[in-house]
Amino acid sequence: MRKMLLVDGNSMLFRAFYATFTRPMSTRSGIPTNAVYGFSMMMNKALQIIAPQAVLVAFDKGKHTFRHELYPQYKGGRKQTPEELAAQFPIVREYLDAAGIRRYEADEIEADDIIGSLTRQYPDWQIHVLSSDRDMLQLIDQTTSVWLMKKGLSDIEEMTVERLKEQLGIEPDQIRDLKGLMGDASDNIPGIPKVGEKTALKLLAEYRTVENLIAHADELKGKLKENVIQYQDQALLSKRLATIKTDVKIPFEAEDFQLQLTPQSLLQFYHSYEMNSLAKKLQEDMSSSGVQKKPADLQISEVSQCPSSLLHPYTALTLDQDQQSVYFAQVYGLALADEHQAVYMRLADVLQDQALLQWLRSDQIKLVYDVKATMHLCDRAGLTIQGMKVDAMIAAFLCDSTLTSDQKIQDRFQLQPPFSLEEVYGRPGKMKLPEAAQQHQYCAWKLRLIQRLWQDSEKKLNEMELMRLFDEVEMPLAQVLYQMEKEGIRIDEQTLDDIARQTQTRLNQLSEAIFQYAGTTFNINSPKQLAEVLFDQLGLPHSGKKRSTSAEVLEKLRGFHPIIDDLLEYRKYQKLYSTYAEGLKKYIHPDGRIHTIYNQCATQTGRLSSAEPNLQNISVRDEESREIRKAFLPGQGRVLVSSDYSQIELRVLAHMADEQGLIEAFCHGVDIHTKTASDVFQVPLEEVTASMRRSAKAVNFGIVYGISDFGLSQQLDIPRSQAREFIDRYMESYPNISRYMDQVVEFCREHGYTATMLGRRREVPEIHDKNYTIREFGKRAAMNAPIQGSAADLIKLAMIRIDRQLRQRQLKSKMILQVHDELIFDAEVQELDELKEIIREGMEQVMELKVPLVAETKVGKTWYEAK
């Protein structure tokens, strides 16, 4: 028989949400995805086990159904759906559409009724129902089974007529009677008071149905007899409410929901919502099942000498590398292409081709993908390439700020690589000799990607007035960042070892204290085991099924038990140990330095990010985390210089909003948080308390990020109403900020993006989303992007300006790190005075605003001292 899979969409999404609640997931932009992730995991497992020919996912369409006409209180006791889950209902529908799986919902009926009707509409199919709702068990017959989700994401049990009889001793049709007698609290079905499952099953074994039990109620005894007689109408109503309709006319046939998975669009969905593990698994499945990726429509041939017809401006080029790391990759060759031809050359041939080498060293413009990585690879290959003034990756990102990864670019332009690098070369530690055909195809794909990106971007950069940002900011910055990466920063491994030992000692002490409080030993790093200790053994409060052990939850539990303080401290030291004290060691190169990689295209606001390792997230909030900076050293006989913008984003906000109150404070050197507290609390500056200043500081920085009253209440641990009042008073004190924010949001609604002072755009598609939570995120993103993005643009301009001065004056001091608003230099002692002046002028005079830009500079023998 043909197999059909019918999925209870609402039930499964709720199950997935609570099964993954202790490890919440979200995209980098804050969109929650844990329920959709879990839903996808369960769907994948069901498809694998059942292998159906047809699949349909049914959803409830609205809150009102025919059952509410029978009983207005139906489902009346349910709590409001958590905001994090409600936001994911439209996303799970998007997932199903991307996967090619049919979904359906209808007015006045529930998903159960759709599924029930389909089970009776197709008696010649073997039907499998996937749900976590035991009501579905009434649908079981010889051709229909119900797969019940029991625990987590993987515990599925197939319920058949025989298994139901074995477990409960009743027939499928008696599930309705069971609910009629015992009710169902989750749906607010009343049943008969004091009749639980055990009693109901005993009654059904003797009387089979509710109706028959009522007819023989005089045979019962005591309170049970009284209740059955008194509540017989309620029992009949409850049975009717629990009865799944099987006569709904579904307006399509089975052929309309035959399973035809669409892996390419599903892969794009996974990447879009950053579900990387599911994307990786799908790619592996596609590869093993022979699903071919679209090849690049570019024919490439191997030559030993480059045709002179390719040696002209705007030729695309790429280096053939054997691994992602630009510091350790071996370069095998060079590939070049224009609109007419493409060639691949072995590195040995490239180094012998004088005409090609001369062209590479010329200023004629070349097209590349990731110019900074290409420069590093040139170092590895012994090549000099000038004129790389067009980076197609950066160009595409400027035109569309959502293209924050290679994968998103490939998905957008529908150009997937024919092979992974590992398929061509193996992986580090287990490399293999490549096949020439694969090398050629892989390079042809990279060249085609470069060409497609530039063809799409060149016109857009002009139309969107972004060409100046591209030519005068991002491309020169790439050269600056390359030099910074190449230089790196010296690391004192002994200091890391000392911190590691001290940290491990403290972790051991905290572990012992935690075990004593718990009365048992357990894996402190396991959310499941920790939840059992906190909520089961110690009885600490938690919200319903929410057994999260996140830092946010633990913070709210402070004061309930002394174990909480130790757990929070344990987590701090655990991160210090694993991520920094031990984690940084693996990134130390043979030269004793860490060479981080900066990414210009990873954040939608335009801020730089760093990786391998991420040096921008070394916390400075507490002394223990700051200690790590003692391991970062200057070169021998030199010093580190750190220069940090003072409140750059607030200054940008004051300028862009033209808020005179803030402008005057900045111009007169008044502490901005004290000034804000004075204005909001309506007290003189000298009467502002530390608590007032703290609240003002939270709002000042929160406004930049579009903070809500809920967010402020959480941050300051005050009632939401008080937080709302504080924000309202702030906006009354600074009316131009409120007006500016409203204008930004309105502009974004109309145009779909926001822009910085230099014209950098951030696309905000979320601002038009049907989902309230996602739409509110879009508003916050719209308010934040121009401010944070403008601050990012300012420091980029400062970096370019400072680098130019260092080279023109031929100083030996070098810029080596950028951490958001801070620049770090490895400096010659005798150059300090001149360097400080270059830094001050470069940062403070980079652009004329309505407020002064201030950079605070410090010198030290370690990054710790210089900060």
Side-chain angles (χ1 to χ4, degrees):
M1 295 178 70
R2 292 176 295 176
K3 296 179 182 179
M4 180 183 295
L5 173 63
L6 303 175
V7 181
D8 182 351
N10 289 68
S11 168
M12 299 307 292
L13 195 64
F14 269 85
R15 165 69 63 177
F17 178 75
Y18 287 110
T20 59
F21 191 82
T22 57
R23 47 190 180 97
M25 300 169 55
S26 63
T27 65
R28 281 177 289 184
S29 58
I31 299 173
T33 57
N34 65 308
V36 179
Y37 175 88
F39 188 98
S40 180
M41 291 279 286
M42 291 187 288
M43 281 294 299
N44 290 344
K45 181 164 187 177
L47 292 174
Q48 181 182 10
I49 294 172
I50 297 167
Q53 282 75 49
V55 180
L56 184 131
V57 179
F59 286 102
D60 299 339
K61 187 169 186 179
K63 293 185 177 180
H64 189 275
T65 70
F66 74 92
R67 291 181 177 87
H68 290 92
E69 299 296 331
L70 298 173
Y71 185 55
Q73 294 84 16
Y74 178 65
K75 292 189 176 181
R78 290 194 172 182
K79 294 181 180 179
Q80 186 175 358
T81 303
E83 192 174 299
E84 302 94 328
L85 173 57
Q88 297 183 66
F89 272 93
I91 302 175
V92 81
R93 289 170 169 83
E94 189 180 338
Y95 154 74
L96 293 168
D97 294 344
I101 297 173
R102 184 71 183 266
R103 57 184 173 87
Y104 181 65
E105 53 198 69
D107 293 324
E108 296 297 316
I109 60 171
E110 298 178 63
D112 302 27
D113 305 310
I114 296 169
I115 290 172
S117 299
L118 286 170
T119 63
R120 302 301 180 252
Q121 191 171 320
Y122 296 101
D124 55 338
W125 285 68
Q126 183 68 49
I127 296 177
H128 303 268
V129 177
L130 181 63
S131 180
S132 60
D133 187 349
R134 286 161 59 94
D135 286 359
M136 292 290 194
L137 297 175
Q138 65 188 271
L139 301 175
I140 294 173
D141 59 24
Q142 293 307 315
T143 61
T144 301
S145 65
V146 173
W147 294 75
L148 274 183
M149 297 296 305
K150 298 179 71 177
K151 275 187 176 182
L153 300 177
S154 58
D155 191 357
I156 308 177
E157 180 181 18
E158 184 181 17
M159 297 295 290
T160 61
V161 175
E162 294 75 21
R163 188 161 294 179
L164 180 63
K165 185 74 174 176
E166 177 187 324
Q167 289 189 8
L168 296 180
I170 59 177
E171 302 293 331
D173 197 50
Q174 290 179 285
I175 290 291
R176 305 177 303 148
D177 299 279
L178 181 66
K179 292 296 178 80
L181 295 177
M182 62 179 285
D184 187 338
S186 66
D187 287 339
N188 202 32
I189 296 175
I192 297 176
K194 305 299 183 182
V195 174
E197 184 176 83
K198 187 175 180 181
T199 301
L201 290 172
K202 184 177 179 181
L203 292 171
L204 290 177
E206 185 172 354
Y207 297 101
R208 290 198 55 78
T209 67
V210 170
E211 292 82 357
N212 196 39
L213 171 66
I214 293 170
H216 293 84
D218 58 339
E219 299 175 7
L220 304 174
K221 296 179 181 179
K223 190 65 176 176
L224 178 61
K225 178 179 179 179
E226 291 178 21
N227 283 345
V228 169
I229 292 172
Q230 181 179 351
Y231 294 102
Q232 58 181 299
D233 290 340
Q234 189 167 291
L236 291 168
L237 172 64
S238 297
K239 177 178 178 178
R240 193 173 173 190
L241 291 172
T243 298
I244 295 175
K245 289 178 69 67
T246 58
D247 59 354
V248 177
K249 179 58 181 172
I250 308 299
F252 47 82
E253 301 299 325
E255 289 72 20
D256 297 319
F257 55 94
Q258 287 197 37
L259 182 61
Q260 293 180 321
L261 293 175
T262 50
Q264 289 288 2
S265 61
L266 179 57
L267 183 63
Q268 187 169 346
F269 170 86
Y270 284 151
H271 285 304
S272 176
Y273 285 96
E274 299 168 18
M275 300 181 188
N276 298 326
S277 61
L278 291 176
K280 183 178 179 182
K281 178 66 168 61
L282 179 59
Q283 284 177 311
E284 291 171 353
D285 292 344
M286 290 165 61
S287 179
S288 62
S289 63
V291 177
Q292 294 298 315
K293 298 169 186 172
K294 184 179 178 181
D297 52 345
L298 187 67
Q299 300 302 314
I300 193 168
S301 57
E302 182 168 332
V303 298
S304 58
Q305 188 170 10
C306 184
S308 59
S309 55
L310 273 174
L311 304 182
H312 59 74
Y314 292 96
T315 290
L317 65 83
T318 185
L319 290 162
D320 179 20
Q321 65 197 90
D322 65 355
Q323 58 177 286
Q324 289 293 343
S325 172
V326 293
Y327 295 124
F328 301 103
Q330 178 179 343
V331 176
Y332 279 74
L334 172 71
L336 305 97
D338 62 12
E339 63 273 21
H340 304 297
Q341 61 182 326
V343 300
Y344 177 92
M345 295 180 65
R346 298 285 162 187
L347 182 58
D349 292 326
V350 172
L351 295 173
Q352 295 298 318
D353 190 333
Q354 295 304 314
L356 172 60
L357 292 174
Q358 184 178 351
W359 177 78
L360 291 174
R361 289 191 291 265
S362 75
D363 288 333
Q364 290 194 45
I365 294 175
K366 288 94 178 171
L367 307 181
V368 296
Y369 184 97
D370 195 343
V371 64
K372 190 159 53 62
T374 305
M375 288 188 277
H376 283 298
L377 291 173
C378 285
D379 291 341
R380 300 287 299 167
L383 285 173
T384 299
I385 303 181
Q386 303 290 347
M388 293 188 287
K389 296 179 181 178
V390 173
D391 186 329
M393 175 187 74
I394 293 175
F397 171 70
L398 287 181
C399 295
D400 183 350
S401 65
T402 66
L403 300 180
T404 53
S405 69
D406 293 341
Q407 190 62 58
K408 288 180 179 179
I409 288 175
Q410 293 162 22
D411 290 343
R412 174 64 53 82
F413 289 88
Q414 297 185 332
L415 271 176
Q416 301 293 334
F419 318 100
S420 68
L421 264 182
E422 287 189 0
E423 287 176 302
V424 182
Y425 289 106
R427 61 179 182 273
K430 199 174 181 180
M431 306 299 286
K432 65 178 183 179
L433 288 174
E435 296 178 10
Q438 288 186 325
Q439 288 177 295
H440 296 167
Q441 289 182 57
Y442 195 83
C443 286
W445 163 75
K446 289 201 289 184
L447 290 169
R448 190 67 184 108
L449 184 63
I450 292 168
Q451 291 176 331
R452 284 283 301 280
L453 292 179
W454 184 240
Q455 287 165 6
D456 182 77
S457 303
E458 184 179 18
K459 184 179 179 182
K460 289 182 179 178
L461 287 172
N462 285 302
E463 291 175 347
M464 298 164 70
E465 298 182 344
L466 292 170
M467 192 60 82
R468 186 175 179 184
L469 184 66
F470 178 70
D471 285 336
E472 298 181 13
V473 179
E474 293 299 339
M475 290 307 299
L477 179 70
Q479 176 72 40
V480 175
L481 293 174
Y482 157 71
Q483 294 292 349
M484 291 167 58
E485 293 173 356
K486 185 177 179 181
E487 184 67 22
I489 185 166
R490 192 161 71 96
I491 300 296
D492 183 354
E493 195 165 351
Q494 183 59 54
T495 298
L496 291 180
D497 287 337
D498 292 342
I499 294 174
R501 279 193 298 272
Q502 295 164 11
T503 305
Q504 187 62 64
T505 299
R506 184 59 183 144
L507 284 171
N508 292 340
Q509 293 169 349
L510 289 167
S511 297
E512 287 301 317
I514 290 166
F515 295 152
Q516 283 189 357
Y517 287 130
T520 184
T521 59
F522 65 100
N523 182 357
I524 300 173
N525 298 315
S526 165
K528 182 176 183 293
Q529 292 184 35
L530 180 57
E532 290 171 354
V533 167
L534 295 180
F535 306 126
D536 298 337
Q537 293 174 220
L538 298 179
L540 296 184
H542 60 92
S543 178
K545 295 181 180 179
K546 298 182 178 181
R547 294 165 60 88
S548 170
T549 59
S550 68
E552 182 182 358
V553 170
L554 293 183
E555 284 287 352
K556 292 179 181 178
L557 290 174
R558 279 189 189 272
F560 283 93
H561 195 286
I563 196 174
I564 300 299
D565 288 336
D566 284 346
L567 281 170
L568 287 167
E569 190 170 1
Y570 176 90
R571 286 192 174 175
K572 180 181 73 175
Y573 277 98
Q574 180 63 33
K575 181 173 183 180
L576 180 62
Y577 181 84
S578 60
T579 305
Y580 303 121
E582 285 294 329
L584 287 175
K585 290 181 188 176
K586 65 181 179 181
Y587 294 107
I588 301 175
H589 287 226
D591 62 0
R593 292 174 173 263
I594 280 179
H595 300 263
T596 190
I597 296 287
Y598 287 101
N599 196 326
Q600 294 169 258
C601 305
T603 67
Q604 292 196 57
T605 58
R607 292 184 83 173
L608 293 174
S609 69
S610 83
E612 300 180 37
N614 182 359
L615 295 182
Q616 299 194 330
N617 69 347
I618 297 179
S619 175
V620 293
R621 293 180 181 176
D622 54 71
E623 183 59 31
E624 293 83 1
S625 298
R626 280 197 295 267
E627 288 279 315
I628 287 293
R629 298 192 174 204
K630 291 181 178 178
F632 290 76
L633 307 176
Q636 293 289 348
R638 295 158 72 95
V639 292
L640 288 182
V641 176
S642 169
S643 192
D644 199 348
Y645 268 129
S646 172
Q647 300 167 334
I648 182 66
E649 291 181 352
L650 286 175
R651 293 171 190 269
V652 168
L653 172 61
H655 170 83
M656 297 185 78
D658 194 25
E659 178 50 62
Q660 291 303 311
L662 294 181
I663 291 172
E664 288 177 11
F666 279 125
C667 288
H668 291 91
V670 177
D671 177 77
I672 195 64
H673 305 310
T674 302
K675 164 67 175 171
T676 300
S678 172
D679 290 338
V680 171
F681 290 106
Q682 297 181 337
V683 298
L685 287 171
E686 59 273 12
E687 293 182 19
V688 171
T689 66
S691 175
M692 290 177 180
R693 187 182 183 279
R694 174 174 169 264
S695 297
K697 183 177 180 180
V699 178
N700 269 331
F701 287 119
I703 291 297
V704 173
Y705 291 90
I707 199 168
S708 64
D709 52 7
F710 175 77
L712 184 62
S713 70
Q714 295 288 301
Q715 190 170 336
L716 294 177
D717 195 23
I718 59 176
R720 193 167 178 176
S721 58
Q722 187 178 342
R724 180 72 262 165
E725 181 185 353
F726 197 97
I727 292 174
D728 289 343
R729 290 210 307 265
Y730 182 96
M731 291 305 185
E732 288 172 7
S733 300
Y734 303 122
N736 276 10
I737 290 180
S738 179
R739 190 176 303 116
Y740 167 74
M741 293 297 188
D742 290 343
Q743 289 171 351
V744 168
V745 171
E746 193 54 43
F747 179 91
C748 188
R749 284 199 185 104
E750 182 179 350
H751 298 91
Y753 69 89
T754 60
T756 68
M757 291 188 293
L758 294 188
R760 180 189 303 277
R761 296 187 182 188
R762 174 179 179 171
E763 278 67 33
V764 191
E766 296 89 352
I767 204 161
H768 296 124
D769 201 278
K770 295 178 181 178
N771 185 290
Y772 173 80
T773 305
I774 297 176
R775 196 165 62 249
E776 284 299 298
F777 162 78
K779 286 172 61 177
R780 292 193 298 273
M783 290 186 277
N784 164 247
I787 302 164
Q788 191 179 106
S790 293
D793 287 344
L794 285 175
I795 199 163
K796 287 179 177 181
L797 283 173
M799 293 169 71
I800 295 167
R801 189 167 176 165
I802 292 169
D803 176 77
R804 187 179 298 126
Q805 282 296 307
L806 292 177
R807 286 186 287 107
Q808 286 179 357
R809 301 192 190 191
Q810 298 181 340
L811 296 187
K812 295 179 181 177
S813 299
K814 296 180 179 179
M815 183 161 40
I816 57 171
L817 288 180
Q818 189 258 36
V819 181
H820 300 315
D821 305 330
E822 177 187 9
L823 297 178
I824 298 99
F825 300 81
D826 191 340
E828 288 280 351
V829 176
Q830 60 269 30
E831 295 176 352
L832 271 178
D833 291 340
E834 188 175 5
L835 175 64
K836 286 180 182 179
E837 181 57 28
I838 290 173
I839 295 170
R840 188 199 63 76
E841 194 276 336
M843 295 181 73
E844 296 185 352
Q845 305 300 320
V846 67
M847 185 179 290
E848 187 174 345
L849 303 183
K850 298 167 187 173
V851 297
L853 293 175
V854 176
E856 300 172 349
T857 302
K858 293 183 180 179
V859 179
K861 295 180 180 179
T862 68
W863 189 9
Y864 178 89
E865 290 183 12
K867 182 61 180 172

